[in-house]
Amino acid sequence: MQQFQPHRFSVAPMMDWSDRHCRSLHRVLSSRALLYSEMVTTGAVLHGDRERLLGYGQEQHPVALQLGGSEPADLAAAARIGEDYGYDEINLNVGCPSDRVQSGRFGACLMREPDLVAECMAAMAAAVKVPVTVKCRIGVDDQDPEEALFTLVDKCVSAGVSTFVVHARKAWLQGLSPKENRDVPPLDYPLVYRLKRERPELTISINGGVPGVDAVIEHLRHVDGVMLGRAAYHEAGLLGAVDRRVFGLEVADITPFEVVERYRPYIERSLAEGWRLAGITRHMLGLFHGLPGARAWRRILTVEGVGEGAGIEVVDKALEAVRRAVDERETRGVQSTVETASG
């Protein structure tokens, strides 16, 4: 197991997306990125199918477990279970704005209860040896962002927390859907930068609206780390440059073709364990984003990957379609160059 890494670059916990298959794919793309689970509620951890919810391949380290809840004792117990499963970090969700989360008194609505969050974090910190961290918004509804964010952070610091991931938007619990809450509230990056300036001893990562690696590099001038969400999912290929550009490793960027070849053993192993192909390959749909054959790649995986008994041959067929499209473009480019020179 790799030693726990700082949050210089991480991939966000995303409901219905960042499952074990997705994280294994992202690990192929970057050896250093900190990966997060989907949010798992304390009730599910304590009473549900733990192996299905928490299981993962050891190649995924460093990997963090994100919990949802607001009962300190339950969070402490769930954190211990997460630590026993080998997670490198336990994170508390104080940012999800969904109706289900609000009705359960966890997620973004906890921005209104900083004392309770601090109590939860103190219980978690006392229960485990791995780091406990907070992922939060800058406020909810009519809260003053500066007051809400700094109050939450300071109270959690008093409970022993030193690492925070801040989604630099408010969450509007009344009037906006969870999807709208990812885009509509304006981003306030300067407030998160200021949090780092005024609390330099803390590890502050920024999240929200980060489109790619160029933006990551810019944010790192102001904060300790950057968390990439939807861009890392829909255009997974961009993660192939993270080890070199963000972590400074002397390695070549990994290409989407190399990713498929390196991910292939995981796909075959998962199929042998009884997982369905579509559940594995759905995370790969954006891998060839912007390249010739990307549409054929998505179509073949989506249409043929859902069939009963679909296997690795579907991936091979989709990959061949991309190779053929790339070759055709290169051939056209050579012909165009020859015609121009002869003309």
Side-chain angles (χ1 to χ4, degrees):
M1 185 173 69
Q2 295 183 37
Q3 184 179 3
F4 176 77
Q5 297 291 319
H7 294 68
R8 184 168 176 82
F9 180 87
S10 58
V11 179
M14 295 176 282
M15 291 297 292
D16 299 322
W17 289 358
S18 53
D19 62 18
R20 68 176 73 196
H21 305 307
C22 180
R23 296 194 303 271
S24 290
L25 174 67
H26 288 168
R27 180 56 69 225
V28 170
L29 284 149
S30 170
S31 67
R32 293 291 183 90
L34 173 60
L35 306 177
Y36 280 79
S37 74
E38 303 173 81
M39 182 189 70
V40 186
T41 65
T42 53
V45 173
L46 297 178
H47 308 295
D49 183 344
R50 291 179 188 170
E51 183 56 34
R52 182 181 64 82
L53 293 167
L54 304 180
Y56 62 94
Q58 292 304 303
E59 76 282 351
Q60 290 183 16
H61 292 287
V63 59
L65 171 64
Q66 187 183 68
L67 294 175
S70 59
E71 291 292 335
D74 289 349
L75 282 164
R80 279 192 294 269
I81 293 169
E83 183 180 49
D84 289 343
Y85 264 83
Y87 284 92
D88 299 289
E89 171 195 321
I90 310 297
N91 178 268
L92 180 64
N93 184 314
V94 191
C96 181
S98 75
D99 293 338
R100 183 173 69 88
V101 163
Q102 291 183 58
S103 65
R105 197 190 177 195
F106 55 95
C109 63
L110 289 176
M111 291 295 300
R112 295 196 187 105
E113 300 187 74
D115 289 316
L116 175 59
V117 175
E119 185 181 351
C120 291
M121 297 311 299
M124 292 165 64
V128 298
K129 295 182 175 63
V130 297
V132 293
T133 65
V134 172
K135 185 175 188 293
C136 64
R137 294 277 183 144
I138 61 173
V140 296
D141 296 339
D142 57 356
Q143 282 186 318
D144 174 73
E146 179 182 334
E147 180 181 351
L149 177 61
F150 278 72
T151 297
L152 180 80
V153 167
D154 289 342
K155 287 185 180 292
C156 288
V157 169
S158 68
V161 181
S162 61
T163 299
F164 298 84
V165 182
V166 184
H167 186 155
R169 282 189 177 96
K170 270 189 173 184
W172 287 94
L173 305 180
Q174 304 296 325
L176 291 181
S177 69
K179 182 178 184 298
E180 290 170 329
N181 263 300
R182 293 194 291 266
D183 297 300
V184 174
L187 288 158
D188 191 349
Y189 294 142
L191 179 61
V192 185
Y193 297 164
R194 181 182 157 198
L195 176 66
K196 176 59 187 176
R197 285 198 309 272
E198 297 187 11
R199 306 289 189 274
E201 72 283 2
L202 301 179
T203 298
I204 304 297
S205 290
I206 200 165
N207 170 236
V210 183
V213 179
D214 287 343
V216 170
I217 301 299
E218 176 60 28
H219 281 305
L220 287 172
R221 296 175 55 237
H222 306 280
V223 290
D224 302 293
V226 182
M227 176 179 278
L228 209 62
R230 283 167 291 163
Y233 190 84
H234 293 303
E235 302 175 38
L238 65 83
L239 297 178
V242 164
D243 283 359
R244 177 180 63 86
R245 296 193 60 197
V246 178
F247 290 101
L249 299 185
E250 294 182 358
V251 295
D253 296 349
I254 182 170
T255 70
F257 291 103
E258 291 171 329
V259 171
V260 177
E261 292 304 319
R262 296 185 191 184
Y263 193 52
R264 183 188 178 94
Y266 176 85
I267 297 174
E268 293 178 321
R269 188 168 64 249
S270 297
L271 289 171
E273 293 172 354
W275 297 95
R276 295 177 64 90
L277 182 70
I280 306 167
T281 57
R282 68 188 182 97
H283 306 297
M284 306 170 68
L285 296 179
L287 193 57
F288 290 93
H289 178 82
L291 295 178
R295 181 175 298 178
W297 166 261
R298 294 192 301 270
R299 176 180 54 77
I300 292 170
L301 290 184
T302 302
V303 175
E304 301 185 27
V306 298
E308 188 70 31
I312 195 69
E313 71 281 352
V314 176
V315 178
D316 292 339
K317 180 179 178 180
L319 188 62
E320 180 57 31
V322 179
R323 291 191 191 281
R324 191 163 52 248
V326 170
D327 289 344
E328 289 172 356
R329 185 178 72 169
E330 290 177 351
T331 300
R332 287 195 301 270
V334 170
Q335 291 173 343
S336 176
T337 301
V338 171
E339 291 169 0
T340 300
S342 62

